[in-house]
Structure formats: C-alpha cells, structure tokens
C-alpha cells in the first residue's frame, strides 16, 4: 500500500521529490530517521548517481543519502594572501535548500542535489582519531558546504554530532545558519562548547538576496533563547553588500542585534565584504537577475577573488565597526579575508597584535577558564 502521509516540514524546506540512498547506508540510523521524517516521499537505492540524476532531470528536488568516502574533517579552504581564521570544517553534506543569490556553492558544485553523508559512524570514527589527544584544541563547524541547520528537521544530524562531541572537552563546535532550528539543543551536554551562530545582514538583503532564510528578528530571537539556555553565540556580518541605502540598513541591523543580545553574549563576530571567485559572476547573473550588487565596482584581489574597491570597502567597514564598538564589541571582532592594512585602519589592531587570528579565535571560542584548564 502506498504511504500517503505528508511530511511536516518547516517553511524553509520543500519536501524532496525523491530520495536516493547509497546501498551501504540503507541501514544507517540517519537513513532510518530521514525516511521516517519524510513519509510518502518515494525513495530508491542509488547504484549509479549520474544515471539517477538524468532520470529525474536537472531541476528535480533530490535528497541524496550518501556513503561519503572522503575526509570529514579539514581546514577551511580560506584564501591565499589574506588573514584566515584557522577554522576546521566538519563535513556533513553538500548543498543547501536556501537560495542566497551570492551563494558560492553555486560555483563549487555541479548540481543542486542536497547531499547528506549518511555514514555518520565513519565521521565519528575519524573525529575520535583527531580528538584523541585532549591537549590539542579545535574550533570547528559544519557550515561551510551547507548551512549547519537547514536540513536538521529532516536529519537530526547536528543533534547527533553535538551529543557525540559532548565527550570531548577539546573541541568547540560552531553551528552557522540562516534559519532557526533549536532542536539540537537538548542533545548538548556542555553549552560552553557549542556556539550557535547566525549570519546577519540588513532586512533588505535578507528579504531580497537570502530567499528562504529566517528574518533578522527571528534569528536574533533564537540567539536570545540560546543565551538564556547558557550558550554564547557568534554573528557574522558576511557578506556586507554595497547597495543604495546601505547605511540605513546596516544601522538598523546593528540596532536589531543589540535589542536581543548584549555584546558579552557574543563570543566573536566576523565582518566580510562580498567577494567572489570570477566563475560565480555569470552564474549569479543568470540565476538571480535581480541581484544588482554584482554590477558594483570590483577589483581582483591578490587571491584572484573579486572584491569591492578598497575605499568603498573601508567606508562600509568603518561605519559598521563604529556602530559595533559603540554597542560594546571589542577585539572579538575580526575580518574574514582582509589585509593587515584594512584591520589596522578599521579596527585599530591586526591579527599579529592578537597573537595570530587562529589562536585568538580559539581562545575566544572556549570560555576563559576552560581554555586555561585545557592548556595547563
Ligand atoms: S544559507 Fe549559506 S549555504 Fe545556504 S544558500 Fe545561503 S549562502 Fe548558500
């Protein structure tokens, strides 16, 4: 008999039209959970991914539960020639159900199939090896090749990961998202070692360029709830976009943030100007014809990526940094991929003054007493 039940999903998620499952993960707990949370969605065993994709057509909404064979934990690719933050990526899947116009994943991946690494036990085994030396500290996150939480309602992946990492005091996990899902929270044993994080932007950018995401107030309400539950949060003003009226928009964004949380609740905050690999330009113009900001004046940086002209970048950064400092932010503000010159000009310090950006962020991600105890 056909299962005619309909899945009950949050607003940012449309039910997939089909689920593909690698034979090796048919009995994995993630597969069982996904299938139970998506009743009525047809699924099949995937022995030949390309063939299956062709069968369903390029635009089909496919969820692929994959037996991932690569490395799960890696260094963030960062960028050459600019200061990078030494973040470790825990790779849990690829692609994202949201539709941000500037999303780099459009250029990274050939298709938009939502992929979940369903062999979670292999991930845990690899993490065990990395984390065995308890004197080595890690700051890691899952939000690099996907949004950390966008598929959580279907997979429960982050809840499992947080529960697993609870036994390792030497890792701090950042969950970077543009949606609201706090379902993972009940699985956390020590809130000091999980950092819920949101990208933040102006209401106009969120509404027009981050389709499917939660509004700024919703994100900040969730952030406040996390603080109430004993977590510190992270925020990322990234990408800062230059558009008519940006001053008003970013002033309002800062005001909204501090209506909900205090500066002391924020472990760290990054600022990053819109930047892109040249390959993204045409894709963005094609997929998002209304994204006018792509017609701004950009220069090619030392790493080959395009960035807004330096004077415009500095103007936006100075404006934002001033507002953030007035709200109580200090040396826990950092730039994502900017030169020492920009740091010094806008923030008045450089990564060198902080003892290196990776060390500084590692210190900030752990609470001070934990950091000294672990380092002792
Ligand atoms: S939330 Fe992140 S990963 Fe998802 S579409 Fe937006 S930029 Fe891309």
């Amino acid at each position: 008999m056909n299962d005619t039940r309909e899945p009950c999903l949050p607003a940012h998620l449309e039910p997939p039209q089909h689920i593909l499952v690698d034979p090796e993960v048919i009995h994995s707990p993630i597969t069982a959970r996904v299938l139970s949370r998506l009743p009525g969605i047809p699924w099949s065993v995937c022995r030949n991914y390309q063939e299956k994709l062709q069968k369903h057509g390029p635009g089909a909404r496919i969820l692929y539960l994959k037996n991932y064979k690569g490395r799960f934990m890696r260094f963030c690719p960062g960028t050459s020639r600019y200061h990078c933050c030494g973040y470790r990526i825990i790779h849990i899947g690829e692609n994202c159900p949201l539709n941000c116009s500037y999303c780099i994943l459009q250029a990274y991946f050939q298709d938009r199939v939502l992929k979940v690494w369903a062999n979670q036990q292999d991930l845990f085994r690899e993490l065990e090896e990395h984390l065995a030396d308890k004197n080595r500290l890690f700051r890691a996150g899952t939000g690099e090749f996907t949004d950390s939480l966008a598929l959580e309602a279907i997979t429960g992946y982050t809840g499992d990961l947080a529960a697993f990492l609870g036994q390792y005091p030497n890792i701090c996990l950042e969950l970077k998202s543009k949606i609201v899902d706090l379902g993972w929270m009940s699985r956390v044993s020590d809130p000091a070692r999980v950092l819920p994080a949101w990208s933040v932007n102006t209401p106009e950018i969120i509404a027009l360029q981050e389709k499917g995401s939660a509004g700024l107030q919703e994100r900040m309400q969730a952030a406040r709830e996390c603080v109430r539950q004993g977590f510190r949060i992270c925020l990322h003003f990234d990408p800062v976009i230059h558009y008519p009226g940006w001053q008003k928009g970013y002033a309002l964004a800062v005001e909204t943030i501090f209506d909900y949380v205090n500066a002391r609740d924020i472990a760290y905050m990054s600022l990053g100007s819109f930047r892109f690999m040249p390959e993204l330009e045409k894709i963005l113009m094609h997929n998002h014809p209304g994204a006018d900001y792509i017609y701004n004046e950009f220069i090619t940086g030392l790493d080959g990526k395009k960035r807004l002209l330096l004077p415009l970048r500095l103007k936006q950064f100075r404006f934002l940094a001033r507002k953030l400092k007035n709200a109580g932010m200090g040396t826990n503000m950092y730039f994502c991929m900017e030169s020492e010159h920009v740091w010094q000009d806008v923030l008045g310090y450089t990564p060198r003054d902080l003892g290196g950006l990776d060390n500084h962020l590692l210190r900030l991600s752990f609470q001070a007493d934990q950091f000294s105890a672990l380092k002792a």
Side-chain angles (χ1 to χ4, degrees):
M1 205 168 75
N2 284 340
D3 188 342
T4 52
R5 286 174 300 158
E6 301 243 332
C8 177
L9 297 176
H12 67 272
L13 275 177
E14 277 193 83
Q17 291 159 314
H18 196 92
I19 306 168
L20 298 176
V21 186
D22 270 350
E24 298 88 344
V25 293
I26 278 198
H27 300 296
S28 89
I30 287 284
T31 302
R33 190 186 288 143
V34 169
L35 295 181
S36 75
R37 290 185 183 180
L38 292 174
I41 305 294
W43 67 277
S44 58
V45 176
C46 178
R47 294 190 199 283
N48 183 330
Y49 177 65
Q50 290 307 336
E51 202 178 274
K52 287 277 186 187
L53 267 198
Q54 270 171 10
K55 182 179 158 217
H56 289 284
R61 282 195 314 279
I62 307 276
L63 176 66
Y64 179 21
L65 305 180
K66 187 175 160 81
N67 180 43
Y68 182 66
K69 299 202 180 87
R71 274 181 305 120
F72 289 95
M73 190 153 165
R74 318 156 167 203
F75 268 114
C76 172
T79 195
S80 57
R81 316 291 285 267
Y82 293 101
H83 287 287
C84 189
C85 65
Y87 179 72
R88 297 288 182 122
I89 297 163
I90 298 179
H91 198 21
I92 61 169
E94 280 173 7
N95 275 324
C96 176
L98 308 186
N99 195 15
C100 303
S101 61
Y102 53 76
C103 181
I104 191 68
L105 301 185
Q106 297 168 98
Y108 275 177
F109 303 127
Q110 286 176 344
D111 59 57
R112 296 222 48 197
V113 171
L114 298 173
K115 299 179 185 119
V116 175
W117 308 156
N119 50 332
Q120 208 183 33
Q121 291 311 317
D122 292 335
L123 161 69
F124 293 161
R125 256 190 298 276
E126 192 189 309
L127 288 177
E128 257 163 22
E129 286 168 22
H130 287 290
L131 301 173
D133 177 359
K134 299 264 165 73
N135 291 316
R136 211 159 153 221
L137 304 186
F138 293 88
R139 183 175 72 90
T142 49
E144 192 66 24
F145 299 117
T146 180
D147 179 284
S148 289
L149 297 169
L151 292 180
E152 188 63 9
I154 296 178
T155 65
Y157 213 114
T158 297
D160 293 341
L161 182 61
F164 172 81
L165 293 179
Q167 58 192 309
Y168 294 97
N170 51 333
I171 182 164
C172 199
L173 177 69
E174 182 178 336
L175 305 172
K176 202 187 285 180
S177 188
K178 290 196 181 89
I179 61 111
V180 169
D181 184 321
L182 301 182
W184 48 271
M185 212 184 244
S186 59
R187 312 278 312 273
V188 174
S189 50
D190 180 5
R193 284 187 299 100
V194 176
L195 293 168
W198 281 270
S199 301
V200 283
N201 223 310
T202 69
E204 296 93 319
I205 294 294
I206 290 176
L208 297 174
Q209 311 301 344
E210 297 180 353
K211 296 268 169 62
S213 70
L216 182 59
Q217 290 190 341
E218 286 174 85
R219 295 181 204 185
M220 294 316 301
Q221 271 162 8
R224 180 169 62 188
E225 181 54 24
C226 290
V227 171
R228 275 199 191 127
Q229 300 291 332
F231 295 84
R232 290 174 309 146
I233 57 155
C234 302
L235 297 175
H236 301 285
F237 261 109
D238 198 350
V240 173
I241 289 184
H242 197 275
Y243 66 95
W246 63 264
Q247 287 95 334
K248 204 167 154 221
Y250 283 105
L252 182 60
V254 173
E255 212 176 285
T256 306
I257 289 169
F258 293 99
D259 281 347
Y260 287 89
V261 295
N262 294 309
R264 65 172 176 277
D265 304 324
I266 302 171
Y268 48 79
M269 179 188 281
S270 71
L271 307 178
S273 185
F274 172 58
R275 56 206 175 276
F276 55 99
M277 300 188 305
E279 306 89 281
L280 183 68
E281 190 168 357
K282 280 208 177 89
I283 299 173
L284 191 154
M285 286 169 172
H286 178 265
N287 292 352
H288 305 276
D292 295 349
Y293 61 86
I294 194 68
Y295 301 105
N296 273 330
E297 292 180 79
F298 297 105
I299 46 129
T300 305
L302 296 169
D303 56 357
K305 285 190 180 170
K306 293 198 168 186
R307 292 169 157 69
L308 195 64
L309 288 180
L310 182 63
L312 297 178
R313 237 155 66 223
L314 284 174
K315 192 169 176 195
Q316 289 202 290
F317 283 150
R318 287 181 195 135
F319 178 88
L320 254 177
R322 196 173 55 247
K323 299 236 167 271
L324 292 165
K325 279 182 188 167
N326 287 344
M329 294 296 292
T331 54
N332 54 350
M333 280 192 288
Y334 71 97
F335 282 117
C336 191
M337 300 178 197
E338 287 291 348
S339 66
E340 214 149 278
H341 167 70
V342 173
W343 277 75
Q344 187 62 51
D345 180 296
V346 179
L347 299 177
Y349 51 84
T350 68
R352 215 177 319 187
D353 298 330
L354 303 169
L357 183 56
D358 41 0
N359 272 331
H360 181 61
L361 292 176
L362 192 64
R363 259 193 309 273
L364 291 174
S365 63
F366 286 86
Q367 307 231 356
D369 51 339
Q370 276 189 316
F371 188 79
S372 354
L374 286 161
K375 278 286 185 190

